[in-house]
Each structure stands twice: as structure tokens, then as C-alpha cells.
Amino acid sequence: MAFWWPLLVLAAAYALCRILLLLIPPTVPSIDVDASDVLEDANQTKEDSYIYIPPRKGKGAQIDKVQCYEPATMKYLGYFPALTPDEVKEHVVQARKAQKIWAKSSFKQRRQFLRILLKYILEHQDLICEISSRDTGKTMVDASLGEIMTTCEKITWLLDEGEKWLKPEYRSCGRSMLHKKAKVEFYPLGVIGAIVSWNYPFHNVFNPMLAAIFSGNAAVIKVSEHASWSGCFYFRIIQAALATVGAPDNLVHIITGFAETGQALVSSVDKIIFVGSPGVGRMIMQRASETLIPVTLELGGKDAFIVCEDVDLPSVVQVAVRAALQSSGQNCAGAERFYVHKDIYSTFVSQLVKIVKSISVGPPLSGRYDMGAICMIEHSEKLQNLVNDAIDKGAEIAGRGSFGNLGEDAVDQFFPPTVLVNVNHTMKIMQEEAFGPILPIMKFSSDEEVVKLANDSKYGLGCAVFCGNKKRAIRIASQLHCGVAAINDFASSYMCQSLPFGGVKDSGFGRFAGVEGLRACCLVKAVVEDRWWPYVKTMIPKPIQYPVSENGFEFQELLVETLYGLSVWDRLRSLVNLLKMISEQNSPANTRKKSR
């Protein structure tokens, strides 16, 4: 007892010190980011502030400028250059030089960069959300849910676990290499390129950038032409944080432009991450094949939302509305197909319609609106065409939201949340990605039927299954061909940043987020080294040394049986015969025979 008592005291003291250290916050410097030119009040005082009238169907568009405006008010925000291929390549060259320095940085320095970003985000949530809202039309609440929370979660996960998953990982060495050590090492690829969509302008920039920088890479990110204004402001935050930790200049770049700009980026970097449509994704793959760089594609979605008959209906209806209209509906694929058990179908629809009818659509910063404006020009026309197609084939509108106080000529930028019933899979609304606030609801009778319906799609991003019986919900979800599944919830997996995110089929391939996404930014290198060097080394047995002996193949057969025989007795028997062969090979008589 006298021996163990001091050890227990030391262990308790050590644990207490660790706990106290956790209570002491790290020293994190603040950064100053100039936002005077992006605040709404400042913009209103500019003499050149005016209402922007975008060209229809691409006519009259300037190919050398990316014009920026608020989709909710059509207020002009300014423009950014559409970079030429040569200009893009120069950005990548600068990033590559900076990356060679940053690759030698410590994880301590990288973590401090993350902490500085996190501190700024927490202290400037309203500014970040307002800029996102103005550039995309989403509400402040939706900006906080989709932009702030997910980014903060990714940062904290990297702080807690990022280094662990990038350290060398030791693996089993196998039976034939017991005298070796086997491991996997992770090295930065170089310059990670990303072409991101407009639906989450803050998170879509930070998500690939955080993984790239923390794993020792540089990042060049092309922001969408529909969200360049916000993306270029968010770049200032990144620049300020990098400068504070002493990172090399030009480690991160934000570039603006159209298709030509994106194509040049794909041709120049060491890996490309693309978030967008399946059609553009195919073009990205084709261009990437020329240089054989790895590609991660996060493409469209048509997520199924399945509701069984034994759920707590009021709470599920609330989740369903959020799932369909998240980020103002127009800015995220969300749930786009609703399958409800026939026993509760009518009740589900009536409760859903009641909520939808209470939703008001209007400029997000002009009052407390539930939904904002559509970011994409003429997208409301596409949405209405999908609704019309469904109605022509027998669907009915069960309810719609209302318009708020819209300015003149602004109706084209808004679309009310719309509930469709009596839908089926012959309708485009159940097959094509809508990217809008439309809720098509279809009834089902059995689990087998709903699995078949949910899998009847060219997309395979995510799904949500709600059921009072958890095992039943898991069984249904396990049969759905998609990359992300939520049980009795929607999109909860994206708030678990340790999990990979991505889909199958036309929803793309590869993963970002999680361990898989972080390591996907790395060159994964397999390394084998001597375990007891220099005392034990790999030696080639004499029977198979050159020139190979007559019984060389017989020796090799016995060696394989010794190592991999199905039973211990088989392996021992082969080992005895193997040793006998070696001893005979080395016997004096055999040696004299060879020397003649």
C-alpha cells in the first residue's frame, strides 16, 4: 500500500492540472477587418448606388466583369473582374510558392489560425450573416444555421481532432513482415482548388479552405458569380487571420469569374473540389482528366423525407418545413421529396399547409420574414414550370405562402413556399432538382414501397427517415442508396463534422468534411521500415537467391503454406519441411556437390 499511495497522489495531481488547464482559455489575438464599404448604411450613401437590372437569358452580359447585386432589392453592390486563364495560373503559381513554406508550419501555428477565425466569427455573427443575406436573399436565421454553426463546428472539430488524424497511422504488418513496422503518412498535396456554389457563400468558402490550410496546403477558391460580393469580403477575414499567425503571403486566394476562370483553375491545381450541378461536374471531370488530378464532386440532391405512421406528427411537420425551406428554400436542395404513410397522410398535409400559409416571403432585411429572395436570375420561372408540369399531370396545390412587402418589379426574384399533393414519379418535380421551396408529398403503404420510391432517383445525396420504431427507421435508411442518412432528424450529420459528406450517382463522389475529407487533401503514403534494425533485416533465403536452385519453387510453396495455412497444424507441418529443406540446402554434402 505504501508503494501505491504516492503513485495515486501523482495521478490525481496530474488529472487535476489537466482539468485546470482546460479552464484557462488560450490567448487568441483579435483581428481587425475593414467592413466600412460593405455595411448597408455605407452602401446607401454612395452616389453610384442604383438598382441593377440584369440581362435576361444571358443577353448583354459583360464577360469581363462579375456584376453583384442584392437579389431581394436588386440594389447594385459593385463588380469584380472575371479573371482570364493566365491570371488564374498566376494566382496558382503564387499559392504554390507560399505552400512550400506553409507545409513546414507546426500544428500549433495552424491551430492558432483556427482560433483567430473562430474568435472573429463569434464576435461578428451579425455582420457575416447580414452580408450572406444581402448577397443570396436568405434570412438572418437561415444564415446563422447554415453558415455560422456549421463553420464553427468544423473549426472546433479540427482544433480537437485534426492533428490526430494527420499524424502517421501505424497499421498491421502482416505475417510475412513481422520484423517490419508499417504505417501511413499524410503529406500535403500542394494547391487545393475549389469551385463553390452560391447557396452558402460563407461556409462554402471556409469549408475547403479550413481543411486545405490545416493539412498544410494552399487554397485557391473560385466563388460563384452569384455570390462574389460576399466571398470577397470573407476573404479579408482569412487574410487577416493568416497574417496574424505569420503565414506566408498568397497562401489563400479568392478568384472571381465565369466558366473560363473555373476551367483554368482545374487545369492548374493539384486537386479540385467542386460544389454545383451534375452537368458542370462532368465538365470538371473531363478537364481534370487532362492532368489526372483527384476530384471531389458534391453535386445535386433530391433528398427523400420519409414519415412513418407512428411518429410524433407535430414535431415532424416542423422539421419537414425546415428541411424543405432551409436557407430560405431557394438556396439549398434540402428535402425535395416527401413520402408519408397513407394512415397519416391527410393529417400531415393539413398541419403542413397551416404552417406554410403562415410563412411570409419578402426582403430578408426589411422586417421579420420567414423567407427571402431567390439568388438565381429567372429561377422562379423554372420553379413555376415544375409546378405547372405537376398540375398538368394531376397534382394539386394544397397551400402556398404569402408575399410580404415587395418592391416594384421584384416579384420575379421571389417564390412562395408551395405544397403539392397527389404527386407521382412521372412528374418532373419528383425527378429534377428544384432547389426551391416546393414540397411535393406522396403517400406510401409499406416499407418496401417507400424504399423503392426513394431509390427511384438519379440523385443519391441524403435522406431522412422518421419512425417511432428506431430499428425500423434504421432498417429503411440502410436500404436507401445515398451518402448521408439521418434517423428521426434532418441534416444532423452535417453538424457532426467528424463525418464525411457526399453522395452517389448524380450527386457526385468523394467526400469532404470529416476524417475522409481532411485526408483527401493529402498525399497518402505507405511506409515500411525495419522494426529491429540493424539486428534483424530482410534476407533472401538461399533456395530463391539467384541463380534460383532446382527446388526453389518447392521452397516457395512451403513458405506460403507456413505463413498462410488454414490451421496451426498445417503451418507447423510446413515449417518443419521448410527447415528440413534449408538444412539440406546448407549441408556439407550438398555444398560439395555444388562445388564440383
Side-chain angles (χ1 to χ4, degrees):
M1 182 65 182
F3 174 75
W4 288 105
W5 180 249
L7 292 179
L8 291 172
V9 172
L10 288 173
Y14 175 77
L16 180 61
C17 290
R18 291 293 301 267
I19 294 172
L20 291 175
L21 285 173
L22 290 174
L23 297 176
I24 301 174
T27 303
V28 182
S30 298
I31 56 174
D32 183 33
V33 179
D34 182 16
S36 59
D37 59 334
V38 296
L39 294 173
E40 188 173 16
D41 292 340
N43 233 40
Q44 287 176 336
T45 60
K46 288 185 177 180
E47 294 182 1
D48 61 348
S49 181
Y50 61 89
I51 299 300
Y52 179 69
I53 303 177
R56 298 183 66 85
K57 302 294 183 183
K59 294 179 179 179
Q62 288 184 288
I63 60 173
D64 61 335
K65 293 181 180 179
V66 178
Q67 306 285 1
C68 305
Y69 61 94
E70 292 183 12
T73 64
M74 304 308 295
K75 183 183 298 181
Y76 185 63
L77 296 172
Y79 70 89
F80 292 92
L83 299 185
T84 65
D86 287 341
E87 290 172 324
V88 172
K89 291 175 183 177
E90 180 57 32
H91 278 278
V92 174
V93 168
Q94 294 174 4
R96 201 175 298 283
K97 292 178 181 177
Q99 188 274 330
K100 294 184 184 304
I101 301 172
W102 182 250
K104 302 174 184 177
S105 64
S106 65
F107 282 110
K108 180 180 179 181
Q109 186 180 12
R110 299 176 195 181
R111 278 193 294 271
Q112 186 71 334
F113 167 64
L114 298 186
R115 292 192 187 101
I116 292 171
L117 289 177
L118 182 59
K119 182 177 181 179
Y120 182 88
I121 293 169
L122 294 172
E123 293 175 350
H124 298 84
Q125 296 183 56
D126 54 344
L127 172 64
I128 293 169
C129 290
E130 180 180 332
I131 290 174
S132 175
S133 174
R134 292 185 65 191
D135 210 13
T136 65
K138 66 176 65 180
T139 65
M140 293 286 284
V141 170
D142 286 326
S144 177
L145 285 169
E147 307 268 37
I148 300 294
M149 288 188 68
T150 50
T151 302
C152 289
E153 187 65 35
K154 187 175 187 74
I155 290 174
T156 53
W157 177 75
L158 284 170
L159 286 170
D160 293 341
E161 300 185 36
E163 180 179 356
K164 176 180 74 173
W165 295 112
L166 292 177
K167 282 185 174 180
E169 181 178 282
Y170 283 88
R171 305 283 179 87
S172 62
C173 56
R175 293 179 182 177
S176 62
M177 291 287 124
L178 289 174
H179 59 297
K180 298 286 188 178
K181 288 192 294 185
K183 62 182 177 179
V184 179
E185 295 178 343
F186 304 93
Y187 297 92
L189 281 173
V191 180
I192 305 295
I195 301 174
V196 298
S197 61
W198 40 266
N199 54 337
Y200 292 105
F202 180 72
H203 181 66
N204 283 349
V205 165
F206 273 66
N207 185 33
M209 182 277 298
L210 289 168
I213 298 305
F214 194 80
S215 54
N217 296 282
V220 181
I221 303 169
K222 180 197 173 296
V223 290
S224 169
E225 57 268 33
H226 301 290
S228 296
W229 180 75
S230 56
C232 288
F233 171 75
Y234 298 144
F235 179 46
R236 300 180 191 176
I237 303 172
I238 298 168
Q239 281 182 308
L242 286 171
T244 304
V245 298
D249 293 338
N250 297 312
L251 187 63
V252 176
H253 295 248
I254 295 292
I255 61 175
T256 52
F258 301 102
E260 185 184 40
T261 304
Q263 290 170 357
L265 181 63
V266 176
S267 301
S268 308
V269 295
D270 302 302
K271 174 187 172 69
I272 193 71
I273 299 171
F274 174 70
V275 182
S277 68
V280 178
R282 291 184 178 92
M283 291 189 285
I284 295 289
M285 282 189 64
Q286 185 176 6
R287 180 57 65 98
S289 69
E290 297 174 2
T291 50
L292 294 177
I293 61 167
V295 178
T296 295
L297 300 179
E298 200 274 281
L299 308 176
K302 197 74 181 173
D303 289 6
F305 191 102
I306 298 171
V307 184
C308 297
E309 70 278 8
D310 56 351
V311 298
D312 175 17
L313 203 52
S315 62
V316 174
V317 169
Q318 278 289 339
V319 177
V321 175
R322 171 58 61 185
L325 309 182
Q326 67 169 344
S327 292
S328 302
Q330 302 90 336
N331 298 317
C332 181
E336 292 207 355
R337 296 178 293 153
F338 293 81
Y339 301 101
V340 180
H341 194 276
K342 62 182 180 61
D343 292 349
I344 59 169
Y345 183 82
S346 298
T347 308
F348 179 89
V349 171
S350 62
Q351 292 186 18
L352 187 67
V353 167
K354 184 178 180 180
I355 295 175
V356 167
K357 284 185 175 180
S358 69
I359 294 175
S360 183
V361 182
L365 298 178
S366 301
R368 297 177 61 85
Y369 288 101
D370 291 301
M371 289 181 57
I374 296 174
C375 186
M376 297 279 287
I377 298 171
E378 300 177 349
H379 190 62
S380 60
E381 183 179 335
K382 175 188 174 182
L383 296 177
Q384 189 59 52
N385 288 336
L386 291 174
V387 171
N388 292 342
D389 172 77
I391 292 174
D392 291 342
K393 294 175 180 176
E396 297 177 10
I397 296 177
R400 305 190 88 166
S402 60
F403 286 110
N405 181 27
L406 301 180
E408 293 183 6
D409 301 324
V411 177
D412 283 349
Q413 291 297 113
F414 296 85
F415 194 88
T418 302
V419 179
L420 289 175
V421 294
N422 298 330
V423 296
N424 58 62
H425 279 212
T426 66
M427 301 170 184
K428 293 179 180 179
I429 191 62
M430 296 299 282
Q431 297 294 338
E432 296 182 9
E433 185 180 34
F435 232 77
I438 304 174
L439 296 82
I441 311 173
M442 189 172 177
K443 67 179 67 173
F444 70 92
S445 301
S446 66
D447 294 358
E448 293 76 16
E449 180 188 13
V450 79
V451 168
K452 184 177 180 180
L453 289 170
N455 284 331
D456 181 25
S457 173
K458 62 182 179 181
Y459 296 106
L461 185 55
C463 73
V465 182
F466 292 80
C467 184
N469 185 328
K470 184 180 176 183
K471 289 184 178 179
R472 179 185 172 195
I474 293 173
R475 186 170 62 250
I476 293 172
S478 68
Q479 298 176 72
L480 303 183
H481 194 40
C482 59
V484 180
I487 307 299
N488 288 320
D489 205 341
F490 179 79
S492 53
S493 58
Y494 207 62
M495 289 307 297
C496 302
Q497 282 290 316
S498 64
L499 295 176
F501 184 84
V504 293
K505 300 190 283 188
D506 276 18
S507 291
F509 59 84
R511 297 294 183 264
F512 57 78
V515 180
E516 293 79 3
L518 184 62
R519 288 179 169 180
C521 294
C522 299
L523 164 64
V524 181
K525 182 181 292 185
V527 178
V528 179
E529 60 188 43
D530 289 316
R531 188 184 298 275
W532 297 294
W533 187 89
Y535 306 106
V536 179
K537 301 178 183 179
T538 300
M539 299 292 291
I540 300 176
K542 282 190 175 181
I544 57 174
Q545 288 181 3
Y546 287 107
V548 177
S549 64
E550 293 179 358
N551 59 355
F553 182 72
E554 183 183 353
F555 172 88
Q556 189 61 31
E557 281 185 307
L558 289 172
L559 179 61
V560 171
E561 291 172 2
T562 300
L563 291 170
Y564 310 111
L566 294 180
S567 71
V568 174
W569 301 114
D570 289 340
R571 293 199 293 272
L572 284 174
R573 191 182 306 112
S574 298
L575 177 61
V576 171
N577 292 330
L578 189 68
L579 294 174
K580 187 185 298 184
M581 178 181 292
I582 293 175
S583 63
E584 292 175 354
Q585 188 85 12
N586 295 329
S587 65
N590 193 45
T591 304
R592 286 195 300 270
K593 187 185 295 184
K594 281 189 175 182
S595 63
R596 290 178 181 174

